[in-house]
Amino acid sequence: MAPGIKPSVIINALFICVACLLTATICFAQTNASSNHTIKTIMENSNGTTITLRGEPVHTVGKLPSINVQAKDFTLTAVDLSEKTLADYKGKYIVMNIFPSVNTGVCAKSVRAFNQDAAGLNNTVVLCISKDLPFAQKQFCGAEGIDHVVMLSDFRNDFGNIYGVEIADGALRGLLSRAVVVIDQSGKIVYEQQVPEIGQEPDYAAALKAVK
């Protein structure tokens, strides 16, 4: 020990060194975990679909199910808070109009368009699906006179992941992308469209052609 240096000073210095070493180790672990999370997110997004929001790329968590496969079951919440599943519409053509929120212009326009078209379709139900609360969906339908489509909410379910339409990143992360899926009377998917730009309307004519 160097002359004049008290043992307590050396002990304190050792404590400080150990504390600094522990802090550095924790920071490195947190950085590594954050990096791993980022890599995981990128890998997950690579399994999804790249779309755009006002021209900027965003991603969905997955891809729409392919045509000619059986539609996956789902649970969604109706405006009366009851639960609806695929089985509730068995034996009918099902048009699923999927979108981010009925409180945006393009989404509202799609509901109005499908509501008008649905009035002339036989043995067909149009499901308008978003993350909006059932109360907001009901209010919209009442104000707009929407009565030929069924409004369903994914606010407490997992439809977005099951059908690969939940937005994984960007400003609308967590909401549903704009897409249309048509299921025939046997439960098989006969048409699907992942709209490439969220601000763009779906192809109504192509969707309706699939049920005629």
Side-chain angles (χ1 to χ4, degrees), residues 66 68-73 86 89-94 163 181-190:
S66 302
N68 293 325
V69 303
Q70 288 297 121
K72 296 179 180 179
D73 196 13
L86 183 62
Y89 309 103
K90 186 177 181 180
K92 295 183 177 182
Y93 276 99
I94 303 169
Y163 276 80
V181 176
V182 179
I183 304 170
D184 72 7
Q185 297 157 313
S186 68
K188 185 180 294 184
I189 294 175
V190 293

Side-chain angles (χ1 to χ4, degrees), residues 31-93:
T31 301
N32 191 48
S34 177
S35 176
N36 287 340
H37 176 73
T38 300
I39 293 172
K40 181 181 178 183
T41 300
I42 292 171
M43 290 177 66
E44 288 174 347
N45 286 345
S46 69
N47 295 323
T49 303
T50 300
I51 55 178
T52 58
L53 173 62
R54 302 186 190 93
E56 294 297 321
V58 294
H59 306 87
T60 60
V61 298
K63 298 183 185 298
L64 286 176
S66 302
I67 293 175
N68 293 325
V69 303
Q70 288 297 121
K72 296 179 180 179
D73 196 13
F74 57 78
T75 300
L76 291 163
T77 306
V79 295
D80 62 359
L81 301 182
S82 63
E83 299 294 322
K84 297 295 182 182
T85 67
L86 183 62
D88 288 306
Y89 309 103
K90 186 177 181 180
K92 295 183 177 182
Y93 276 99

Side-chain angles (χ1 to χ4, degrees), residues 128-143:
C128 292
I129 303 168
S130 69
K131 288 273 192 178
D132 292 301
L133 292 177
F135 314 112
Q137 293 179 336
K138 184 176 182 179
Q139 184 180 31
F140 173 82
C141 289

